[in-house]
Amino acid sequence: MVSKSPWIFGYGSLMWRPDFPFVQSRIGYIRGWRRVFWQGSTDHRGTPDAPGRVVTIIADERENCIGMAYHIAPERYGETIEILDYREKGGYRLEVLPVVFENNEQVFASVYIATPDNPEFLGQAEPEKIARQISTSRGPSGPNDEYVIKLARALRKIGANDPHVFEVERWVRSLKI
Ligand code: SIN
């Protein structure tokens, strides 16, 4: 069954800080996508002089990206997208992708993705290097390492394993000491 009501899928900060009105949240995944700390952040977790790193997703047919899907009341969808367009303005654009729930039900959801053509995209690096950058960055939304730790916590809370996020988290924690 395909739902006609709007959904938003979050895989990064939108998992642990949705900060918009929704009527229901459900664990779901998008097939063929992988979460990576490849997006630079100059407006939330870093500055233009010292960008932080936050997650985006890249197409990878071997992977599924687990996250949280939020069901939005149709009359609140417009204002919600306005809030999120502003929040995610640092390189993300909205795409619509199929999200699969644990019971195999599927919906289409709006997802914010930062693609390699955006000016803040940083791309691939070794997890240690990513963590070193993160551990020294902070921006208007707070320290960059807090983003990593909260994302890892949100993933554990729903029983998800994301080796890339957990490896960056391990490095970040070790650099904190
Ligand atoms: C998301 O959470 O879905 C987008 C990336 C972010 O805001 O961290």
Side-chain angles (χ1 to χ4, degrees):
M1 191 195 78
V2 176
S3 161
K4 289 223 182 326
S5 299
W7 290 81
I8 291 169
F9 180 80
Y11 58 85
S13 71
L14 296 182
M15 284 189 74
W16 45 268
R17 191 172 68 84
D19 238 4
F20 56 79
F22 57 88
V23 286
Q24 188 195 4
S25 64
R26 287 176 75 174
I27 299 166
Y29 67 87
I30 40 178
R31 208 175 262 146
W33 291 84
R34 181 155 64 96
R35 178 177 11 235
V36 285
F37 277 98
W38 291 7
Q39 175 63 8
S41 176
T42 59
D43 62 347
H44 281 295
R45 299 290 176 168
T47 62
D49 290 341
R53 275 190 183 252
V54 291
V55 286
T56 182
I57 50 173
I58 54 158
D60 182 341
E61 63 188 18
R62 295 160 307 175
E63 300 274 341
N64 296 324
C65 176
I66 195 162
M68 198 58 84
Y70 302 96
H71 199 186
I72 313 297
E75 68 278 10
R76 304 206 72 172
Y77 184 71
E79 70 183 87
T80 304
I81 289 297
E82 240 174 72
I83 295 169
L84 288 178
D85 278 355
Y86 182 75
R87 171 168 160 178
E88 304 293 329
K89 66 185 182 322
Y92 293 84
R93 62 186 163 79
L94 207 50
E95 293 206 17
V96 175
L97 293 175
V99 173
V100 184
F101 296 131
E102 286 166 311
N103 64 357
N104 275 331
E105 193 187 330
Q106 182 177 304
V107 296
F108 285 95
S110 300
V111 189
Y112 284 89
I113 302 178
T115 50
D117 54 357
N118 85 83
E120 293 181 34
F121 192 79
L122 293 175
Q124 190 168 10
E126 288 304 309
E128 179 183 354
K129 196 171 165 222
I130 290 175
R132 286 192 184 279
Q133 181 175 354
I134 287 171
S135 64
T136 57
S137 301
R138 76 160 40 238
S141 297
N144 203 173
D145 59 3
E146 178 191 64
Y147 177 101
V148 178
I149 287 164
K150 287 191 168 170
L151 176 57
R153 189 181 297 152
L155 288 166
R156 281 194 192 96
K157 200 168 149 197
I158 61 170
N161 182 24
D162 187 321
H164 175 66
V165 173
F166 292 160
E167 188 175 5
V168 171
E169 184 209 13
R170 268 195 304 279
W171 275 111
V172 158
R173 285 188 186 277
S174 77
L175 293 165
K176 254 176 128 56
I177 300 164

